[in-house]
Amino acid sequence: MPVLIVGSIALDTVKTPFEEHADLLGGSASYSALGASFFSPVNLVGVVGDDFPPAHIEFFQSREIDLAGMQRVPGKTFRWSGEYMLDMNVRETRSVELNVFEHFTPRLPVGYKETPYVLLANIGPDLQNHVLDQMQRPRFIIADTMDLWIKIAREELLRLLTRVDLLILNDSEARLLTEETSLVKAGAKIRALGPRYVVIKKGEHGALLFSEGRFFSCGAYPLEDIHDPTGAGDTFAGGLAGWLAAQDGKEVTFDLLRQAVVFGSVLASFNVEAFSLTRLRTLTQNDIDARYEGFRLMQQFELLD
Amino acid sequence: MPVLIVGSIALDTVKTPFEEHADLLGGSASYSALGASFFSPVNLVGVVGDDFPPAHIEFFQSREIDLAGMQRVPGKTFRWSGEYMLDMNVRETRSVELNVFEHFTPRLPVGYKETPYVLLANIGPDLQNHVLDQMQRPRFIIADTMDLWIKIAREELLRLLTRVDLLILNDSEARLLTEETSLVKAGAKIRALGPRYVVIKKGEHGALLFSEGRFFSCGAYPLEDIHDPTGAGDTFAGGLAGWLAAQDGKEVTFDLLRQAVVFGSVLASFNVEAFSLTRLRTLTQNDIDARYEGFRLMQQFELLD
């Protein structure tokens, strides 16, 4: 089954202590869509300018990512530039040019409105709500968000939360949204705002999944080299959503979501091994399955006698 | 089998955003010894002044913690005072009074020299080496350390590393010692310095165990309330060492160490639920086993079809 993904499509300039690259394919929708495409077809909703390289279009199309919902308008594509410090958990945004994104209003092609799985990747909650307004009874709705929207669009975000099944956000965002230091309390408070499930991402420390009275802790796969953390969270969300959509319409339970969280983590762990989407371009199903097994081995230990 | 534990015994003053308590029983050896005592008898080596409350002595004795190696000398007991910020991962030391600890030289009673398991809790590496000089062929040696010793006693610490089986340190200390950002690379580099096994603690994010070509990721148990993180690392090391010592002399393998890391994490997760050693005073074997099972449930997910 397909998954509808809406978010930003960007051209990024990324600097790390070791390398700098300009005009990379980026944006929350690009990473999420590619992550999901390893498991299910994607209906992509976003906007690009007339400077968007045809090679990126062809790349999306080569991956069963449908572009009927991608608007191409006069002007320049959204651009983001950021720099990572030696501790790659610390990032500084150097510049943001909204360009064509500034007046973006997502419009769903008729064929998209019944997509059963929805991933509202990181964009303003007003746009996320506007997409849901156009959908017809989706089976499972996932939303990602960020600190900016918690700060400047809290009311709109709270309205969104009453409409989604799973919210994904990182630990500092969960603390910002709930004013709770404990992630357990933060998870419970967010669930009380609407979503049945909450995933709190902890960057290089993995992710926690919460449902009623239960939680799952997924470690991050220890890597020798992290080249570019950009898009790790988006790839995680995309991998999770795509894998869920590929489960033949099985009911989404806590147990199924645990596996989805691991698959999201697998995708994210590959993504950071190279700049932009480079590593995902050559990733195979065998690579994915082998690392899923690696996650299992890494987390297992013996029962008590 | 017994475990020998050497380290500091202190009277702590601890302030959090919510509470402040003075003259608490603390120090690396106190926390480690109590953690270990849930599994095996402890031979404690340390020093206290003549102001050390008899109630603490009686408490140690009530827990099968042998005090023949605890020196009681004229003067004041080591005192430490610290303050936690609203983000309890951030701590500021307010004052340190070495007092009787300043001239401490650990001397092992004859009966201690053949103790099969050794935990060199966090004290200067010169003292840790001095304890090993007095031991007769211990089966398994664990050392804990901290950033201070990496900075001011690196040579002595490197000499210690050639003599221990397992080094325990936290993530920032591992990065400081090896100048590697990646914890995988840091773990490998530390192993090359001597210890067959390395545990890197990540505070509220759990711990990683490394051996040759293998690793184990143990999450931290998500808690609703953290009242006092003081001694969590020491309790972890003590629980780990005590559980290993209780395994009937079984060879220490990676698989056995994985379980030991979980038991250490279980003890640490209880310890932070109250100030000082308060929570551990009432902890039962049933509590421990139930949370061990909680760790297993929290980390498990389904195999691939």
Side-chain angles (χ1 to χ4, degrees), chain A residues 272-298:
Chain A
V272 302
E273 289 181 358
F275 268 77
S276 183
L277 295 153
T278 307
R279 179 65 185 91
L280 301 190
R281 285 173 192 261
T282 58
L283 190 67
T284 66
Q285 193 61 49
N286 277 351
D287 295 334
I288 292 172
D289 290 352
R291 190 159 288 177
Y292 184 96
E293 175 66 6
F295 270 82
R296 200 184 60 78
L297 291 174
M298 152 184 121

Side-chain angles (χ1 to χ4, degrees), chain A residues 175 182 184-185 204-205 215-217 222-225 258 263 292 296 298-299 301-304, chain B residues 175 182 184-185 204-205 215-217 222-225 258 263 292 296 298-299 301-304:
Chain A
R175 287 175 171 138
S182 154
V184 182
K185 285 188 180 172
E204 64 160 344
H205 301 296
F215 49 81
F216 168 58
S217 167
L223 295 171
E224 293 234 346
D225 286 298
R258 289 197 297 204
F263 277 106
Y292 184 96
R296 200 184 60 78
M298 152 184 121
Q299 298 216 154
F301 55 91
E302 286 66 21
L303 283 174
L304 284 183
Chain B
R175 286 174 170 138
S182 154
V184 183
K185 285 187 179 171
E204 65 160 343
H205 301 296
F215 49 81
F216 168 58
S217 167
L223 296 170
E224 293 236 348
D225 286 297
R258 288 196 298 204
F263 276 107
Y292 183 95
R296 199 184 61 77
M298 154 184 117
Q299 300 217 150
F301 56 91
E302 286 66 24
L303 284 174
L304 284 184

Side-chain angles (χ1 to χ4, degrees), chain A:
Chain A
M1 288 200 194
V3 54
L4 181 140
I5 296 180
V6 59
S8 61
I9 302 170
L11 296 174
D12 289 348
T13 298
V14 177
K15 188 175 185 308
T16 71
F18 314 105
E19 286 175 84
E20 176 164 3
H21 295 278
D23 293 334
L24 300 163
L25 177 56
S28 62
S30 305
Y31 280 104
S32 294
L34 191 57
S37 74
F38 284 91
F39 306 107
S40 63
V42 173
N43 293 334
L44 184 63
V45 178
V47 64
V48 298
D50 47 24
D51 61 345
F52 193 67
H56 296 337
I57 306 258
E58 285 155 28
F59 173 54
F60 282 140
Q61 287 168 333
S62 74
R63 305 264 339 160
E64 272 204 83
I65 297 171
D66 187 283
L67 299 180
M70 190 176 89
Q71 302 166 30
R72 195 178 172 119
V73 301
K76 288 174 70 182
T77 300
F78 175 44
R79 282 172 184 265
W80 176 83
S81 171
E83 177 171 358
Y84 292 89
M85 307 300 126
L86 198 58
D87 173 355
M88 290 240 198
N89 293 303
V90 184
R91 176 170 89 181
E92 220 167 74
T93 293
R94 299 202 295 182
S95 69
V96 176
E97 297 171 36
L98 290 178
N99 299 329
V100 299
F101 198 73
E102 193 171 354
H103 301 291
F104 172 50
T105 303
R107 277 185 307 274
L108 270 47
V110 175
Y112 280 24
K113 297 187 178 186
E114 296 186 352
T115 316
Y117 295 82
V118 180
L119 170 57
L120 307 167
N122 177 31
I123 48 169
D126 52 336
L127 300 184
Q128 292 174 314
N129 273 315
H130 186 63
V131 167
L132 290 188
D133 292 341
Q134 300 169 67
M135 297 294 302
Q136 283 158 20
R137 302 175 53 82
R139 299 170 62 103
F140 199 81
I141 303 168
I142 303 167
D144 197 349
T145 193
M146 73 184 289
D147 51 355
L148 178 67
W149 314 122
I150 298 171
K151 286 176 191 158
I152 71 169
R154 181 180 280 261
E155 285 312 307
E156 190 73 25
L157 178 61
L158 291 177
R159 191 166 82 83
L160 177 75
L161 291 188
T162 63
R163 310 174 76 185
V164 309
D165 298 291
L166 165 63
L167 180 71
I168 301 177
L169 75 180
N170 74 29
D171 44 2
S172 64
E173 291 158 357
R175 287 175 171 138
L176 181 68
L177 178 60
T178 62
E179 296 178 334
E180 291 286 353
T181 312
S182 154
L183 296 182
V184 182
K185 285 188 180 172
K189 255 196 178 173
I190 296 168
R191 290 189 64 254
L193 296 171
R196 262 185 303 155
Y197 301 104
V198 175
V199 168
I200 298 181
K201 296 172 291 180
K202 303 189 295 175
E204 64 160 344
H205 301 296
L208 290 169
L209 164 67
F210 294 96
S211 79
E212 186 165 2
R214 297 183 72 181
F215 49 81
F216 168 58
S217 167
C218 183
Y221 199 78
L223 295 171
E224 293 234 346
D225 286 298
I226 294 178
H227 284 279
D228 176 12
T230 311
D234 305 311
T235 312
F236 170 87
L240 183 158
W243 187 81
L244 273 188
Q247 302 314 302
D248 298 326
K250 255 187 220 165
E251 197 199 343
V252 179
T253 61
F254 181 75
D255 288 357
L256 204 69
L257 270 175
R258 289 197 297 204
Q259 285 190 276
V261 165
V262 178
F263 277 106
S265 303
V266 165
L267 267 287
S269 77
F270 282 116
N271 182 60
V272 302
E273 289 181 358
F275 268 77
S276 183
L277 295 153
T278 307
R279 179 65 185 91
L280 301 190
R281 285 173 192 261
T282 58
L283 190 67
T284 66
Q285 193 61 49
N286 277 351
D287 295 334
I288 292 172
D289 290 352
R291 190 159 288 177
Y292 184 96
E293 175 66 6
F295 270 82
R296 200 184 60 78
L297 291 174
M298 152 184 121
Q299 298 216 154
Q300 74 169 8
F301 55 91
E302 286 66 21
L303 283 174
L304 284 183
D305 297 332

Side-chain angles (χ1 to χ4, degrees), chain B residues 240-262:
Chain B
L240 185 158
W243 186 82
L244 273 187
Q247 302 313 303
D248 298 326
K250 255 189 221 165
E251 197 198 343
V252 179
T253 60
F254 180 76
D255 288 358
L256 204 68
L257 270 174
R258 288 196 298 204
Q259 284 190 278
V261 165
V262 178

Side-chain angles (χ1 to χ4, degrees), chain B residues 116-189:
Chain B
Y117 295 81
V118 180
L119 170 56
L120 307 168
N122 177 31
I123 47 170
D126 51 335
L127 301 183
Q128 292 174 313
N129 272 315
H130 186 63
V131 167
L132 289 188
D133 292 341
Q134 300 169 66
M135 297 294 302
Q136 283 158 21
R137 303 172 55 80
R139 299 170 63 102
F140 200 81
I141 303 169
I142 303 167
D144 198 347
T145 193
M146 73 185 289
D147 52 355
L148 178 67
W149 314 122
I150 297 170
K151 286 177 191 158
I152 71 168
R154 182 180 279 261
E155 285 313 307
E156 191 72 23
L157 178 61
L158 291 177
R159 189 166 83 83
L160 177 75
L161 291 188
T162 63
R163 309 174 75 185
V164 308
D165 298 291
L166 165 64
L167 180 70
I168 301 176
L169 73 181
N170 74 29
D171 45 2
S172 64
E173 291 159 356
R175 286 174 170 138
L176 180 68
L177 178 59
T178 62
E179 296 178 335
E180 291 287 352
T181 311
S182 154
L183 296 181
V184 183
K185 285 187 179 171
K189 256 195 178 173

Side-chain angles (χ1 to χ4, degrees), chain B residues 22-41:
Chain B
D23 294 334
L24 301 163
L25 177 56
S28 63
S30 304
Y31 280 103
S32 294
L34 191 56
S37 73
F38 284 91
F39 307 106
S40 62

